[in-house]
């Protein structure tokens, strides 16, 4: 039996997906993405999971879409099959927070997969880039849209047009990543962050995620209204009563995620 392309673990309320195609630097083909999407669907539906962590290995988070697989495709192959649609796009609909724990290369579709997550925690050895232009194509999994939103137009133009790779320090200075941590501590630090988020009330966490995402997809006025409605809505949850009572009673909250 062939080994899974994605390894699945749970740690308390955190689901961890580890890309497992090390010989190809975790290059993303349709099978890899189908396995990520299938596991993410399970975590999304599981009331005992609050946070999803996506990671690779020390050499590569993912070195991009699988170039060998794409090499001989023509327009009708990619268009008719809606390449980079389907499972690839499902991941952006996930409502629970997703954290990318990135060590080594996050290039092309690998950088785009990390950017699709809600936070990127980078190891000191992480390398980010959108080198598609060297292959005679452009980023196709969100790079031309998410990168300028993350780091601004000037820097995004630089990276996408020159194919330049940046290290974790530069990525941090540009605002692409949330934190940089020692490479050997990547999973420990990421799990600390994930467990902290998982200890919060899940409805609050999901509403915070969807409200922040509105900041990218709507006008300020519309985003502010959306945020306020979500804020109002949380007063209908048991966890709001518990969270505020716990504060007043000087104790830790016992969230039920309802
Ligand atoms: N697709 C398929 N295979 C890949 C791959 C990719 N994106 N990246 C690396 N590999 C494979 C290599 O072919 C090699 O396989 P073999 O051992 O069978 O020859 C193996 O992984 C190890 O790679 P290297 O020998 O090249 O390792 P290196 O340490 O010398 O270099 C690297 C590492 C700089 C990341 C180099 O592998 C590289 O440049 N990879 C391609 C990066 C890239 O162009 N990514 C964008 C892809 S297009 C895309 O992603 C489109 C999109 O927007 C969705």
């Amino acid at each position: 039996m062939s080994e899974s392309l994605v390894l699945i673990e749970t740690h308390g309320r955190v689901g961890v997906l580890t890309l497992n195609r090390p010989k190809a630097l975790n290059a993303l083909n349709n099978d890899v993405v189908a396995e990520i999407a299938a596991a993410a669907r399970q975590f999304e539906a599981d009331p005992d999971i609050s946070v999803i962590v996506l990671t690779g290995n020390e050499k590569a988070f993912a070195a991009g879409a699988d170039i060998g697989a794409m090499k001989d495709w023509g327009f009708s192959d990619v268009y008719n099959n809606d390449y980079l649609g389907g499972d690839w796009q499902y991941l952006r609909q996930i409502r629970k927070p997703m954290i990318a724990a990135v060590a080594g290369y996050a290039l092309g579709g690998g950088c785009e997969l990390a950017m699709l997550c809600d936070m990127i925690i980078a190891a000191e050895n992480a390398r980010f880039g959108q080198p598609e232009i060297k292959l005679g194509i452009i980023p196709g999994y969100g790079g031309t849209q998410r990168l300028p939103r993350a780091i601004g137009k000037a820097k995004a133009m630089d990276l996408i047009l020159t194919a330049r790779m940046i290290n974790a320090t530069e990525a941090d200075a540009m605002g692409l990543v949330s934190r940089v941590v020692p490479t050997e501590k990547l999973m420990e630090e990421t799990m600390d962050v994930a467990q902290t988020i998982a200890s919060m009330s899940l409805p609050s966490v999901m509403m915070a995620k969807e409200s922040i995402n509105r900041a990218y997809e709507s006008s300020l006025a519309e985003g502010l209204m959306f945020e306020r409605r979500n804020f109002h809505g949380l007063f209908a949850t048991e966890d709001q009563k518990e969270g505020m009572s716990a504060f007043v009673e000087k104790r830790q909250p016992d969230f039920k995620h309802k």
Side-chain angles (χ1 to χ4, degrees):
M1 219 173 80
S2 60
E3 211 182 344
S4 300
L5 297 166
V6 176
L7 308 178
I8 304 170
E9 287 169 56
T10 55
H11 297 271
R13 295 188 61 82
V14 179
V16 180
L17 302 180
T18 304
L19 303 185
N20 185 35
R21 215 187 157 205
K23 287 188 185 139
L25 302 186
N26 290 332
L28 302 165
N29 61 22
N30 284 337
D31 291 339
V32 174
V33 175
E35 286 196 25
I36 301 172
R41 272 194 181 88
Q42 278 180 25
F43 286 148
E44 180 80 335
D46 185 344
D48 293 329
I49 293 291
S50 283
V51 179
I52 300 170
V53 170
L54 187 56
T55 193
N57 57 55
E58 195 165 319
K59 173 135 197 219
F61 175 73
D66 191 319
I67 301 168
M70 290 186 290
K71 182 173 72 69
D72 296 323
W73 290 345
F75 175 78
S76 58
D77 298 309
V78 287
Y79 181 77
N80 293 353
N81 296 318
D82 194 23
Y83 178 56
L84 305 179
D87 286 332
W88 296 74
Q89 292 302 325
Y90 164 71
L91 299 175
R92 70 187 280 264
Q93 295 162 25
I94 289 171
R95 298 169 72 210
K96 292 177 180 171
M98 295 215 296
I99 303 176
V102 175
Y105 296 112
L107 301 178
C111 185
E112 293 168 297
L113 180 61
M115 287 193 288
L116 178 148
C117 294
D118 303 299
M119 291 170 70
I120 301 175
I121 300 185
E124 280 166 346
N125 79 342
R127 298 282 178 278
F128 298 88
Q130 297 288 164
E132 289 90 341
I133 203 119
K134 290 203 289 188
L135 301 168
I137 56 171
I138 63 170
Y141 191 39
T144 66
Q145 304 304 301
R146 291 199 179 92
L147 198 58
R149 281 170 169 81
I151 66 174
K153 178 180 165 184
K155 301 278 188 202
M157 284 284 184
D158 180 354
L159 296 194
I160 291 174
L161 298 185
T162 70
R164 181 166 80 85
M165 246 190 260
I166 55 171
N167 62 26
T169 310
E170 271 186 283
D172 192 24
M174 288 178 184
L176 182 61
V177 307
S178 307
R179 306 177 188 201
V180 179
V181 300
T183 302
E184 66 283 3
K185 292 208 161 159
L186 176 65
M187 284 318 286
E188 188 185 325
E189 301 267 352
T190 302
M191 291 307 287
D192 268 3
V193 174
Q195 298 290 4
T196 299
I197 297 170
S199 74
M200 310 296 174
S201 166
L202 182 57
S204 311
V205 166
M206 291 197 299
M207 282 202 199
K209 168 173 170 164
E210 66 182 359
S211 299
I212 294 168
N213 282 338
R214 276 287 159 128
Y216 286 100
E217 290 164 11
S218 61
S219 66
L220 179 60
E222 207 186 310
L224 290 171
M225 174 59 83
F226 185 83
E227 178 195 68
R228 197 155 68 252
R229 286 290 172 265
N230 270 345
F231 178 81
H232 293 160
L234 284 165
F235 282 73
T237 64
E238 289 175 24
D239 284 347
Q240 174 266 335
K241 304 285 171 300
E242 170 61 12
M244 293 192 181
S245 301
F247 177 82
V248 170
E249 293 161 17
K250 302 189 188 306
R251 59 175 174 82
Q252 286 301 310
D254 178 16
F255 289 130
K256 299 287 187 262
H257 310 290
K258 292 187 205 166

